[in-house]
Amino acid sequence: MIINILAAGPTENLADLENYQTEDDRWVGVDKGAMILLSKDIQPIMAFGDFDSVSKNEMDKIKQGVSQLNRFKPEKDETDMELALNWALQQEPDLIRLFGATGGRLDHFFANVQLLVKPVLQQQAIPIEIIDDKNILYIKNPGEYSIGKNSLHPYISFIPMTMAVEALTLTGFKYPLTNRHIPFGSTLCISNELLDDCGTFSFTEGILLVIRSKD
């Protein structure tokens, strides 16, 4: 099972949601994201939020179109996206995708990127991806990983999410590395490319953000 969560980020930054609809996918709306799903004839199974960004008419449509509505007061300790993600993690899906999580307000964007770390800190082996019209973001903890060429997202960047990532090694890349110490704030690993159909990356300590991008 895959859980797709759509937040209320700018629609011009959305990936084509039709490419992510299969029998294994379940959709969740966050705040106005529920309305966006309904407008695209995608049926959300749940909706979360304080819904402070929707009109009364839109709220009525959400109430009619979503059977399980979880409404919260604006004064709360979690963002609407985190509330939806907490629920999704409890379902133990194979994958969680976050849409509508980029563009617009930078505070929301950085908060959403930090949410990628949540299953790592909770020792849950559930991958989470942030996907928009130009990027795919995900987190990895120490280990060795294969990565395949993607013609739609040819550029690959590696960014430390901790004070440092240790012994980062990149093989099969245009700019290879061997056992490099990458401190937080380094731009050394921005905009790399695979030389062949597949490469590998590995590291021994830290948490690494992987970003696949297109122009």
Side-chain angles (χ1 to χ4, degrees):
M1 177 180 64
I2 298 172
I3 296 179
N4 298 320
I5 302 175
L6 177 62
T11 55
E12 59 267 25
N13 297 118
L14 278 181
D16 187 348
L17 301 185
E18 291 186 2
N19 295 330
Y20 300 93
Q21 293 193 66
T22 71
E23 293 182 357
D24 291 331
D25 286 71
R26 306 290 184 269
W27 288 88
V28 174
V30 173
D31 204 82
K32 195 169 185 176
M35 188 66 236
I36 296 171
L37 287 174
L38 292 172
S39 70
K40 294 180 177 292
D41 295 322
I42 300 174
Q43 181 61 53
I45 61 170
M46 304 275 286
F48 291 83
D50 51 37
F51 299 98
D52 58 356
S53 64
V54 303
S55 66
K56 182 181 184 302
N57 182 53
E58 289 173 330
M59 192 68 238
D60 290 339
K61 291 180 179 179
I62 292 172
K63 289 178 179 178
Q64 293 173 5
V66 184
S67 59
Q68 297 189 57
L69 184 63
N70 298 273
R71 194 168 187 177
F72 300 85
K73 294 181 179 180
E75 300 80 13
K76 55 188 183 301
D77 293 334
E78 302 91 357
T79 63
D80 295 338
M81 177 66 92
E82 185 172 9
L83 291 168
L85 181 60
N86 288 342
W87 173 85
L89 289 169
Q90 291 173 3
Q91 312 315 302
E92 299 185 349
D94 300 309
L95 172 65
I96 299 172
R97 301 187 186 112
L98 308 183
F99 299 91
T102 64
R105 287 177 52 173
L106 287 177
D107 55 346
H108 286 176
F109 168 67
F110 282 110
N112 291 333
V113 171
Q114 289 189 84
L115 289 178
L116 294 174
V117 183
K118 183 179 281 282
V120 174
L121 298 178
Q122 296 178 352
Q123 297 183 331
Q124 291 179 283
I126 300 174
I128 306 176
E129 298 176 344
I130 290 177
I131 300 175
D132 65 17
D133 62 328
K134 293 185 181 298
N135 308 280
I136 302 172
L137 293 73
Y138 57 89
I139 289 289
K140 288 296 184 182
N141 53 11
E144 181 175 343
Y145 305 94
S146 296
I147 185 165
K149 183 171 286 188
N150 182 334
S151 59
L152 294 178
H153 300 88
Y155 305 108
I156 306 171
S157 298
F158 300 94
I159 300 174
M161 292 291 286
T162 46
M163 290 305 297
V165 165
E166 300 295 343
L168 180 63
T169 297
L170 308 178
T171 59
F173 284 81
K174 183 177 181 179
Y175 307 108
L177 289 178
T178 302
N179 293 329
R180 287 292 295 268
H181 167 83
I182 310 296
F184 184 79
S186 171
T187 61
L188 174 66
C189 299
I190 299 297
S191 196
N192 211 330
E193 299 177 60
L194 287 168
L195 294 176
D196 299 311
D197 290 338
C198 188
T200 63
F201 65 95
S202 63
F203 59 106
T204 59
E205 294 181 34
I207 298 174
L208 193 65
L209 174 65
V210 183
I211 305 178
R212 309 201 64 161
S213 303
K214 63 180 177 181
D215 282 334

